[in-house]
Amino acid sequence: MDRFVIDGGRPLRGTIRISGAKNAALPILIATLLTDEPCLLENVPTKLRDIRLTIRVLEAIGKCVDVSGSRVFVHADKPLKTRAPYDLVKQMRASVLVAGPLLARFGWVRVPIPGGCAIGVRPIDIHIKGFEDLGARRVLEQGDLILDSPLRPGRVRFKFPSVGATENLMMAAAAVAGTTVIVNAAREPEIEDLGSFLAAMGARVSGAGTSTVTIRGSRTLRGAKHSVIPDRIETGTYMLAAAATQGSLRLAGAEPAHLKALIAKMRAAGAAVREGRGRIAVSMKGRPRPVSVVTAPHPGFPTDLQAPWMAWMSLAQGSSRIREEVFENRFMHAAELSRMGARIALSGETASVHGVPGLSGAPIMASDLRAGAALLVAALAAPGRTTVQRVYHIDRGYERIEAKLRAAGARIRRVRR
Ligand code: UD1
């Protein structure tokens, strides 16, 4: 298991180029299962572990995938299977997204039910209820979910705007002739991007990115070309790292419209944030003012930036509160930040963060992807040496992170096991 060794306390300066969004590339890659024709995807963060795993899932189902830089060419040379292998699904929950396209095309699919993970139980009941609303029957066998019977178009109403369930149902609806309406859909930018790809494949999609998505599907979808949106969570993480190190960074290829909640909160805390076309610049002097946040589905404050936000607020001139409303167990980073001198008290879904003048380097461990990102933000800001263990979590979602940070002046190196 690799680890990062960071000598912190140095301001980040310069320009970092943002990669394509992992959480958009992932469902879009899976949506290629909707056609036998070739698809070309650009701006895919192909170095990420989760994207590599998604490609393996596609290959296990029968697609051929050629990767060249950030371009991915997906085609098929044999009939597709309607099963996803457990050893891949258990490594990446989002593999369950293959259920929608395969069920819609072939009327039968078998996927292992993903287990819980470090940030909560994470059931898939909203996905399943959506498929049932479109006529699927379900059977549970040996920990696998089997869905069968042909889908029909219809109306699906979610009890919560789940990102994954919205994507799964959109992909299914795209391959079912007739009009399907998804009510209380997730509104994340990644949903909008998937909607654009499905439209390029020949589905009629309206309302993607709003709470009601309408899809007029077609039994035969065509191959398409698409360029993935920039990663707003990667962007937000570097914005917070720039602020926490009292530096000045430009994020090239970023999309400010996707980060309104973070930008507003960072300005309230005292950071200077400039928005341009395809770029964001952040600079910060001194410690932030304490600013409280509550996570919520988009356009609220993203749960994926809650942990890096906590790292910055650990250094505030006063106390703030962070309420996690999306996942039930997403404060694993608090104890690790405390090892670096942060003062954080947890009570249920609320963290009270009492700012300290400075953090100090320590050996720490990443428990999940965004917790790992928070520890990096803290380590970059903290004078002294920090060793971050279990870097594989960070590698799931941040492409070439040490190279990008080094180019901005950070002292960070990867030690291979
Ligand atoms: C996606 C993102 C993840 C982000 C999350 C919320 C990807 C690959 N991952 O995850 O980075 O943190 O959105 O913005 O895009 N839930 C249920 N039943 C379900 C589905 C979800 O109870 O059937 C609950 C989950 O346990 C969780 C909440 O709803 O508490 C949000 O989950 P969801 O929006 O589905 O997130 P993901 O798609 O898993």
Side-chain angles (χ1 to χ4, degrees), residues 23 26 94 122-127 160 162-164 188 303-304 326-327 330:
N23 287 352
L26 224 146
R122 300 183 78 176
I124 53 164
D125 55 313
I126 303 174
H127 304 233
F160 178 87
S162 154
V163 172
E188 271 66 4
T303 171
D304 285 349
V326 178
F327 288 103
R330 208 172 197 185

Side-chain angles (χ1 to χ4, degrees), residues 26-41:
L26 224 146
I28 289 171
L29 277 164
I30 290 176
T32 64
L33 293 173
L34 288 164
T35 180
D36 287 329
E37 293 184 15
C39 294
L40 177 62
L41 306 179

Side-chain angles (χ1 to χ4, degrees), residues 60-138:
I61 291 173
K63 287 283 188 188
C64 290
V65 185
D66 304 319
V67 175
S68 160
S70 63
R71 289 156 71 100
V72 180
F73 183 59
V74 186
H75 51 113
D77 65 354
K78 49 183 181 274
L80 298 184
K81 297 193 184 115
T82 49
R83 278 182 85 141
Y86 176 62
D87 66 316
L88 293 175
V89 176
K90 74 170 191 252
Q91 292 183 61
M92 192 184 58
R93 303 178 44 81
S95 327
V96 77
L97 293 179
V98 304
L102 294 178
L103 174 62
R105 278 192 77 186
F106 304 110
W108 192 89
V109 69
R110 179 170 185 148
V111 281
I113 296 185
C117 68
I119 61 175
V121 182
R122 300 183 78 176
I124 53 164
D125 55 313
I126 303 174
H127 304 233
I128 297 173
K129 164 85 171 35
F131 293 132
E132 286 177 334
D133 288 347
L134 300 186
R137 277 187 328 140
R138 71 162 144 161

Side-chain angles (χ1 to χ4, degrees), residues 160 293-297 301-303 306 322-331 349-350:
F160 178 87
V293 299
V294 180
T295 67
F301 191 92
T303 171
Q306 177 261 106
I322 297 177
R323 214 177 141 68
E324 175 54 62
E325 294 267 353
V326 178
F327 288 103
E328 72 237 15
N329 181 22
R330 208 172 197 185
F331 285 141
E349 306 306 323
T350 303

Side-chain angles (χ1 to χ4, degrees), residues 4 12-13 15-17 47 234 238 249 376 380 394-395 398-414 416:
F4 281 143
L12 294 181
R13 293 195 195 288
T15 301
I16 289 181
R17 175 152 289 280
K47 295 186 180 63
E234 185 196 27
Y238 289 131
L249 262 189
L376 275 188
L380 292 165
I394 300 170
D395 290 336
Y398 294 87
E399 208 174 40
R400 298 174 49 246
I401 189 164
E402 67 268 40
K404 290 188 183 189
L405 286 170
R406 260 204 305 270
R411 293 215 173 123
I412 174 170
R413 68 191 160 87
R414 179 185 292 258
R416 304 211 180 258

